[in-house]
Amino acid sequence: MNILLSLEGFIQDNNLHSLKEYFYSTIKTSNNIFDKNLLNLSQLSNLEILELKGLITGKLMDAMQNKVQITVEIPEQINSFPIPSLDLVRVIGIILDNAIEATVNTNNSFIRFAIIPIKNSQLVIVSNSCTNSTPPLHKIKKNGYSTKGDNRGIGLSNLDDLIAKYPIVSLDTKIENNCFTQKICIKNGGQHA
């Protein structure tokens, strides 16, 4: 929509010469960027849980607008998880919000998102770039801890509480080589979303 609006001024002024120049020098060359971004998000089509797909798509597109490199890997059709979709949306939302925020001050910022079916489980993986000054895990997970100021810092604590509700769900968090990775393993069985 923004690109179409940028063309409108040339059209209203009936300035075909400048319109052609702008189109070929700016818009046509950005086509590769659009194609690459759409390709990076294309595997989201394998996710058939609409509320989860909408959340992930929106968050990752926001990140792309902030020049974050996005990779999505969902190699197989996913149509359900054995936990309620509302809790799953909350869990993924917290993780993606934190990932996007953490990439802001990094060089070569990236977020990698994957849902990989493995034997009797689904593995949801979110990795993102982080700085050398990222606090250690025991500090980050403490209720009320935040680098954003007072009365923030409840996201990862809420995440742990949500995951604790489900014995079939486990969370593994790692910080290594300026990469923050969270792996959620959801065992098949139980109630479907």
Side-chain angles (χ1 to χ4, degrees), residues 60-130:
L60 295 181
M61 290 190 74
D62 284 347
M64 280 193 286
Q65 288 181 343
N66 289 308
K67 310 280 191 261
V68 176
Q69 292 292 332
I70 300 296
T71 307
V72 174
E73 182 182 352
I74 306 173
E76 297 178 21
Q77 296 288 99
I78 306 290
N79 56 28
S80 68
F81 283 92
I83 63 172
S85 62
L86 180 63
D87 283 342
L88 189 60
V89 164
R90 289 176 65 200
V91 165
I92 302 292
I94 290 168
I95 290 174
L96 285 175
D97 285 343
N98 288 334
I100 292 166
E101 188 171 309
T103 61
V104 170
N105 297 318
T106 64
N107 296 325
N108 303 316
S109 59
F110 66 84
I111 294 175
R112 297 180 194 120
F113 182 90
I115 302 175
I116 312 289
I118 55 174
K119 187 179 180 180
N120 299 322
S121 300
Q122 306 264 13
L123 194 58
V124 179
I125 307 167
V126 179
S127 294
N128 59 272
S129 53
C130 63

Side-chain angles (χ1 to χ4, degrees), residues 21-176:
E21 186 178 300
Y22 178 70
F23 177 80
Y24 287 110
S25 69
T26 305
I27 294 176
K28 189 152 170 100
T29 58
S30 67
N31 193 31
N32 292 336
I33 296 166
F34 294 132
D35 290 346
K36 185 179 176 190
N37 286 342
L38 290 175
L39 183 62
N40 287 342
L41 292 177
S42 66
Q43 286 202 8
L44 278 169
S45 64
N46 285 334
L47 182 58
E48 296 179 351
I49 304 164
L50 295 181
E51 58 273 30
L52 190 57
K53 182 192 287 190
L55 171 87
I56 296 165
T57 302
K59 300 279 184 195
L60 295 181
M61 290 190 74
D62 284 347
M64 280 193 286
Q65 288 181 343
N66 289 308
K67 310 280 191 261
V68 176
Q69 292 292 332
I70 300 296
T71 307
V72 174
E73 182 182 352
I74 306 173
E76 297 178 21
Q77 296 288 99
I78 306 290
N79 56 28
S80 68
F81 283 92
I83 63 172
S85 62
L86 180 63
D87 283 342
L88 189 60
V89 164
R90 289 176 65 200
V91 165
I92 302 292
I94 290 168
I95 290 174
L96 285 175
D97 285 343
N98 288 334
I100 292 166
E101 188 171 309
T103 61
V104 170
N105 297 318
T106 64
N107 296 325
N108 303 316
S109 59
F110 66 84
I111 294 175
R112 297 180 194 120
F113 182 90
I115 302 175
I116 312 289
I118 55 174
K119 187 179 180 180
N120 299 322
S121 300
Q122 306 264 13
L123 194 58
V124 179
I125 307 167
V126 179
S127 294
N128 59 272
S129 53
C130 63
T131 64
N132 285 331
S133 62
T134 300
L137 280 176
H138 72 275
K139 230 181 195 183
I140 292 172
K141 289 194 169 213
K142 188 176 177 186
N143 191 13
Y145 177 82
S146 176
T147 58
K148 302 172 261 185
D150 292 339
N151 301 319
R152 303 287 300 270
I154 57 168
L156 289 178
S157 177
N158 280 350
L159 179 62
D160 285 343
D161 291 345
L162 281 166
I163 287 176
K165 287 171 52 176
Y166 301 99
I168 61 170
V169 180
S170 62
L171 173 65
D172 180 34
T173 304
K174 234 193 278 194
I175 302 173
E176 197 172 73

